[in-house]
Amino acid sequence: MRAAKEAEKEPTISFYVAECSEFTNLGEYHDNLTLEEAVRIFDTIPPDRMSAIPCIGFCLSDGSMYDGEFPLMEAGEVLSDIINDIAHYRESPLVQQAIKDMQAILDERALQRGVIPVSHLNSYSEAKEAGEVDSWRASHRENERCAHEFSNDFGAAYHDRKMPEYLQKWVQKYGMERCKIVLASTIQLADYDGRYYPSTKEEAAKVFIPGADMQDTYKDRRQDYRVSTHPVMVNGAFRQLLVMEREQQEQAQTTARAQEKESAQPQSKAMAGSEEKVSAQSQGQAEAYPKNKSVDRTQKKPAAEQDAKAPSGSLLSRLQDKQKQVEAAKQTPGKTQDKKRGVEI
């Protein structure tokens, strides 16, 4: 009867916040919370308190042997793979809804805060010396989230022929440099694999990966960023990232040239205005002086023409010349012109 009554109970789920995810009895602990309350309390825990990983977990109450606490989110990542390894949680609508809600909250926060800058420090000791432990940890966790998301989602986008659309959103969320670090880590660790193009391996080798260690595998951060996607898909995705990066650089250069051109236009306008002012001044001077000289030339021109003419003869000499022309015409009659007909007769 007791078992029947427990079976009739409607399953419920609540959430808790623990300063230490492994040993919840150590440090700060809150339970019987909604997911929103758990997120708000989780944000108040200082990241440098203790040397533990804080978490948000769920407590499922459904009368089964799985009643109790289980971690849901650690270090800004939903533990969906670990949770779904347990068949009872995988088949529980409450647990699956908790996973979706937690992921939605993290995605919304990622959009609000923007892209987390990539830390180029190689180790925790370097970050401690530089006083950048928090930024180094945040960058490392963001690299892991970037790799985890690619491993989970890219395969479906590739088979649906939506690779460019997926990569565009992926890069917009995590930044080009971080996405290249994730894929380059995978390619560098599989340099022996012939399924990667030689040119792809060459370009991937140029990518600087903070924390890469060729000598000690356990210290090599590339192992943390390695994706589990098929090499053919990773090869295509990395080559597409290179194309997108070139397009971004060309667009940035075009924008820079346009800005330089716009900034140079006011200077050219000022120079053109000064040139117009100088030309106007010179034109005013030309109008003030050369016109007088042109007047002088027009006044001298008739006098010069008169000086070039031969002096006119007396009336008697002109009559004598006319008489000689008439006598010459009588002795040698020539052709005369019919003015009306326009021909010689």
Side-chain angles (χ1 to χ4, degrees):
M1 291 176 64
R2 184 180 302 173
K5 288 182 179 180
E6 290 179 354
E8 291 176 359
K9 289 173 59 178
E10 185 178 355
T12 60
I13 191 170
S14 62
F15 299 89
Y16 69 91
V17 176
E19 185 176 339
C20 179
S21 62
E22 188 174 2
F23 303 102
T24 57
N25 60 335
L26 297 178
E28 191 173 343
Y29 176 80
H30 306 269
D31 61 353
N32 294 323
L33 306 172
T34 64
L35 184 57
E36 290 75 13
E37 293 172 344
V39 171
R40 186 168 59 252
I41 295 174
F42 180 85
D43 292 338
T44 63
I45 299 177
D48 56 346
R49 186 190 294 179
M50 298 178 58
S51 295
I53 301 176
C55 77
I56 295 177
F58 64 86
C59 182
L60 180 66
S61 299
D62 60 355
S64 69
M65 61 179 294
Y66 294 97
D67 277 8
E69 298 176 345
F70 200 89
L72 174 63
M73 186 273 291
E74 293 180 356
E77 181 179 352
V78 180
L79 307 178
S80 55
D81 291 343
I82 299 174
I83 296 171
N84 290 327
D85 283 341
I86 301 173
H88 186 75
Y89 291 154
R90 189 170 60 248
E91 296 171 0
S92 170
L94 292 175
V95 174
Q96 295 302 311
Q97 187 62 43
I99 292 175
K100 293 180 181 179
D101 293 343
M102 188 74 251
Q103 188 62 55
I105 292 173
L106 294 179
D107 291 343
E108 183 179 358
R109 290 191 168 194
L111 294 174
Q112 290 177 353
R113 70 171 181 263
V115 178
I116 296 177
V118 177
S119 174
H120 298 93
L121 300 174
N122 291 311
S123 62
Y124 173 82
S125 58
E126 288 186 9
K128 189 174 182 180
E129 292 177 1
E132 299 180 7
V133 173
D134 292 341
S135 61
W136 177 81
R137 282 178 174 171
S139 177
H140 174 65
R141 292 170 182 172
E142 193 75 354
N143 292 346
E144 291 180 327
R145 281 193 290 268
C146 182
H148 181 76
E149 182 174 315
F150 185 89
S151 298
N152 284 348
D153 302 336
F154 182 72
Y158 182 88
H159 288 298
D160 292 342
R161 298 184 179 181
K162 296 180 180 180
M163 181 176 70
E165 293 82 358
Y166 175 84
L167 292 178
Q168 192 71 31
K169 295 180 180 178
W170 190 50
V171 170
Q172 185 178 5
K173 183 176 180 180
Y174 293 102
M176 177 62 72
E177 184 178 7
R178 176 166 283 112
C179 294
K180 287 181 64 179
I181 285 175
V182 167
L183 297 187
S185 297
T186 306
I187 298 170
Q188 290 181 13
L189 291 172
D191 188 60
Y192 57 86
D193 197 329
R195 288 171 290 185
Y196 293 109
Y197 294 168
S199 59
T200 303
K201 295 178 182 179
E202 182 180 355
E203 293 296 329
K206 299 177 182 178
V207 179
F208 172 73
I209 301 174
D213 194 332
M214 308 296 181
Q215 306 300 327
D216 193 341
T217 304
Y218 294 99
K219 294 182 180 179
D220 193 351
R221 289 291 178 183
R222 294 179 299 176
Q223 300 288 346
D224 300 332
Y225 311 148
R226 193 175 198 170
V227 300
S228 57
T229 313
H230 195 278
V232 174
M233 299 182 187
V234 176
N235 184 85
F238 187 77
R239 295 174 70 86
Q240 183 65 28
L241 284 185
L242 297 178
V243 174
M244 293 169 59
E245 186 178 34
R246 285 196 297 269
E247 291 177 352
Q248 289 179 359
Q249 293 173 353
E250 292 175 357
Q251 185 177 3
Q253 292 175 358
T254 303
T255 304
R257 286 195 294 267
Q259 291 176 351
E260 290 178 359
K261 187 176 180 180
E262 290 178 359
S263 61
Q265 282 181 354
Q267 297 179 359
S268 61
K269 289 181 179 178
M271 293 177 63
S274 60
E275 291 177 356
E276 290 178 358
K277 186 176 180 180
V278 171
S279 62
Q281 292 177 354
S282 60
Q283 185 177 0
Q285 294 176 358
E287 291 177 353
Y289 176 71
K291 274 187 177 180
N292 296 332
K293 295 185 70 178
S294 63
V295 172
D296 293 339
R297 286 195 298 269
T298 55
Q299 290 176 354
K300 291 181 179 179
K301 184 176 180 181
E305 291 178 355
Q306 291 176 2
D307 293 342
K309 289 181 179 180
S312 58
S314 61
L315 178 60
L316 180 59
S317 60
R318 281 186 289 172
L319 290 174
Q320 291 177 352
D321 293 337
K322 185 67 175 176
Q323 187 176 0
K324 290 178 180 180
Q325 291 177 3
V326 173
E327 291 178 354
K330 288 181 179 180
Q331 294 176 0
T332 56
K335 296 179 180 180
T336 59
Q337 185 175 5
D338 190 348
K339 296 182 180 180
K340 290 183 181 182
R341 298 182 182 180
V343 294
E344 293 181 349
I345 55 175

